[in-house]
């Protein structure tokens, strides 16, 4: 299924229990659609959410509201049923807000263009934590719920680990050779995978964040703007050349390209609540919904064929011994650029 948004979108999110998907657009509008198999998606809401672009969107409070953020530094909560504003927080950050993710049932994290990460209680509408995590824009975040650590990547080329219990930046990697754009946690919490501007996937071992332990270069030279964890061994990548690929981690390999956006850079990927659909947006102004079962079924057939002829070197990883420490001064961002849910009670009890 395809939805012509009419404008480029920066983020999408699926409702946690209903067949709804929302998109934040470059013109500041928020769209909400109802979808179902073999039926044209229906737009339910179009809301003027921000005066500038709507860079990130998430359903919150069990899907009763949608929260958005923008370069205008505001955070807006919108009612799903009526489209009316529930609350708006002006000047939530001192710089343009770029990224937003869910942490628990009632907490979110936001990251801005100057490297600041904040944690918010959506019901109390208050800031719980503030981290000066990076020198450049926060490109992506991932929440490790078991350890209450918030992983962040940035245009400054570093990976940060924010400890929510101690309210401090616990660890930070050395500067990589290029900007880090996306991040997921794999291998039962043992490996952090980061996508980069040059298309290299950097793998960090948990607890050893100073330098990456492995590098996977087969997606180069196209930047990896989006990473979506399928399971502990496989991720779905969205690249600058429009390809959406299924990639294995340790052993590192491209299992198969599974979809594409006609050579337009893929901006964001997401799963529907029942994982039946994979949603994707790109710079072609299209929101596409892919049948995930069909994609994985096709990839399984291809992988069986590949395994029959694969040589012994195909699954080897590239090892990186060391990186020079480089201060990244450039910024890739121009207007182009989830997580496990816990109860809010246990979240703040630990805090």
């Amino acid at each position: 299924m395809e939805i012509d948004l009419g404008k480029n979108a920066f983020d999408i999110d699926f409702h946690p229990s209903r067949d709804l998907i929302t998109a934040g657009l470059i013109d500041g509008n928020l769209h909400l659609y109802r979808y179902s198999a073999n039926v044209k998606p229906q737009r339910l809401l179009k809301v003027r959410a921000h005066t500038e672009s709507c860079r990130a969107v998430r359903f919150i409070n069990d899907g009763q509201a949608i929260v958005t953020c923008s370069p205008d530094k505001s955070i807006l909560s919108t009612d799903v049923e009526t489209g009316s504003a529930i609350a708006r927080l002006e000047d939530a950050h001192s710089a343009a807000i770029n990224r937003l993710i869910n942490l628990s049932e009632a907490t979110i994290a936001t990251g801005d263009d100057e490297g600041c990460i904040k944690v918010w209680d959506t019901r109390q509408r208050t800031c719980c934590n503030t981290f000066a995590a990076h020198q450049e824009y926060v490109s992506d975040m991932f929440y490790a719920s078991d350890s209450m650590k918030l992983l962040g990547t940035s245009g400054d080329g570093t990976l940060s680990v924010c400890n929510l219990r101690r309210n401090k930046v616990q660890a930070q990697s050395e500067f990589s050779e290029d900007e880090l754009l996306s991040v997921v946690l794999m291998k039962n919490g043992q490996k952090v995978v980061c996508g980069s501007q040059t298309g290299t996937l950097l793998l960090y071992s948990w607890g050893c964040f100073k330098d990456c332990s492995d590098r996977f270069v087969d997606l180069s030279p196209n930047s990896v703007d989006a990473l979506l964890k399928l399971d502990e061994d496989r991720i779905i990548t969205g690249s600058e050349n429009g390809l959406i690929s299924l990639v294995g981690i340790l052993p590192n390999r491209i299992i198969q390209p599974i979809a594409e956006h006609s050579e337009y850079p893929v901006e964001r990927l997401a799963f529907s609540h029942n994982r039946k659909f994979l949603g994707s947006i790109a710079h072609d102004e299209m929101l596409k919904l892919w049948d995930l079962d069909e994609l994985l079924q096709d990839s399984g057939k291809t992988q069986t064929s590949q395994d029959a002829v694969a040589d012994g070197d195909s699954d080897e990883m590239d090892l990186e011994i060391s990186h020079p420490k480089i201060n990244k001064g450039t910024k890739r961002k121009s207007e182009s650029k989830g997580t496990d849910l816990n109860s809010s009670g246990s979240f703040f009890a630990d805090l």
Side-chain angles (χ1 to χ4, degrees):
M1 292 181 285
E2 294 185 351
I3 301 172
D4 186 353
L5 299 172
K7 300 285 184 179
N8 280 338
F10 287 149
D11 201 8
I12 55 172
D13 193 36
F14 284 93
H15 193 279
S17 60
R18 299 165 59 187
D19 292 340
L20 301 175
I21 186 170
T22 185
L25 276 57
I26 191 172
D27 60 2
N29 283 326
L30 170 70
H31 288 192
L32 178 67
Y33 296 87
R34 178 186 291 117
Y35 63 88
S36 59
N38 303 317
V39 177
K40 183 179 180 180
Q42 176 188 3
R43 191 173 75 189
L44 304 179
L45 290 176
K46 179 182 178 181
V47 177
R48 179 66 172 175
H50 298 278
T51 57
E52 298 184 45
S53 62
C54 184
R55 284 189 182 172
V57 297
R58 284 294 181 273
F59 283 98
I60 61 169
N61 298 344
D62 297 321
Q64 298 177 43
I66 302 170
V67 65
T68 56
C69 62
S70 168
D72 65 14
K73 306 177 186 178
S74 70
I75 299 175
L76 172 68
S77 178
T78 301
D79 186 272
V80 167
E81 300 300 331
T82 65
S84 60
I86 299 172
R88 182 186 295 272
L89 181 61
E90 303 287 355
D91 297 320
H93 282 246
S94 61
I97 308 173
N98 183 56
R99 198 73 177 99
L100 162 71
I101 66 167
N102 296 102
L103 301 186
S104 72
E105 191 175 284
T107 51
I108 61 173
T110 52
D112 68 30
D113 278 5
E114 293 182 352
C116 177
I117 294 174
K118 291 187 176 185
V119 176
W120 303 86
D121 182 331
T122 60
R123 292 175 180 167
Q124 298 296 323
R125 303 173 188 174
T126 57
C127 180
C128 312
N129 308 78
T130 300
F131 305 96
H134 298 280
Q135 298 177 13
E136 292 286 349
Y137 71 96
V138 177
S139 57
D140 200 10
M141 293 177 286
F142 189 97
Y143 182 49
S145 57
D146 291 344
S147 60
M148 291 187 67
K149 305 288 175 40
L150 181 59
L151 306 172
T153 52
S154 171
D156 65 10
T158 65
L159 165 71
S160 66
V161 183
C162 299
N163 188 320
L164 271 60
R165 287 193 179 99
R166 298 182 180 180
N167 195 28
K168 70 174 187 177
V169 180
Q170 179 174 310
Q172 190 161 28
S173 71
E174 293 184 353
F175 293 96
S176 64
E177 296 174 357
D178 58 284
E179 301 172 21
L180 301 185
L181 306 177
S182 46
V183 60
V184 292
L185 184 62
M186 306 283 293
K187 294 294 182 178
N188 299 304
Q190 297 304 304
K191 289 290 180 180
V192 179
V193 182
C194 299
S196 71
Q197 187 180 9
T198 60
T200 299
L201 294 182
L202 279 64
L203 279 66
Y204 295 84
S205 296
W206 188 264
C208 302
F209 299 109
K210 200 68 175 176
D211 198 4
C212 66
S213 57
D214 311 300
R215 309 184 100 198
F216 179 58
V217 301
D218 287 10
L219 295 168
S220 298
N222 298 290
S223 65
V224 180
D225 292 359
L227 291 176
L228 186 62
K229 178 179 175 179
L230 179 63
D231 53 38
E232 298 301 331
D233 302 309
R234 296 175 298 170
I235 53 176
I236 298 174
T237 65
S239 297
E240 189 179 26
N241 60 354
L243 285 181
I244 301 171
S245 302
L246 184 62
V247 175
I249 298 298
L250 297 177
N252 300 332
R253 65 194 186 279
I254 297 178
I255 298 173
Q256 185 187 357
I258 55 176
E260 66 175 335
H261 269 268
S262 303
E263 300 183 359
Y264 289 92
V266 177
E267 188 74 24
R268 202 69 66 198
L269 302 167
F271 289 132
S272 63
H273 66 94
N274 54 7
R275 293 172 73 94
K276 177 174 175 55
F277 292 103
L278 168 68
S280 63
I281 50 172
H283 293 189
D284 56 2
E285 302 182 355
M286 303 297 295
L287 192 166
K288 297 189 178 185
L289 300 177
W290 314 87
D291 188 308
L292 192 59
D293 289 337
E294 290 183 5
L295 295 182
L296 297 181
Q297 186 178 38
D298 291 342
S299 69
K301 293 177 181 177
T302 301
Q303 183 61 29
T304 300
S305 175
Q306 290 175 342
D307 288 344
V309 297
D311 59 38
D313 293 332
S314 62
D315 287 344
E316 292 298 321
M317 68 187 93
D318 295 319
L319 297 180
E320 180 72 7
I321 304 302
S322 63
H323 286 311
K325 188 168 183 176
I326 302 173
N327 188 1
K328 301 294 289 184
T330 58
K331 231 179 163 181
R332 183 174 181 267
K333 271 193 63 40
S334 54
E335 276 295 75
S336 170
K337 331 240 171 232
T339 43
D340 295 330
L341 298 179
N342 293 334
S343 69
S344 58
S346 62
F347 184 91
F348 288 105
D350 287 337
L351 283 178

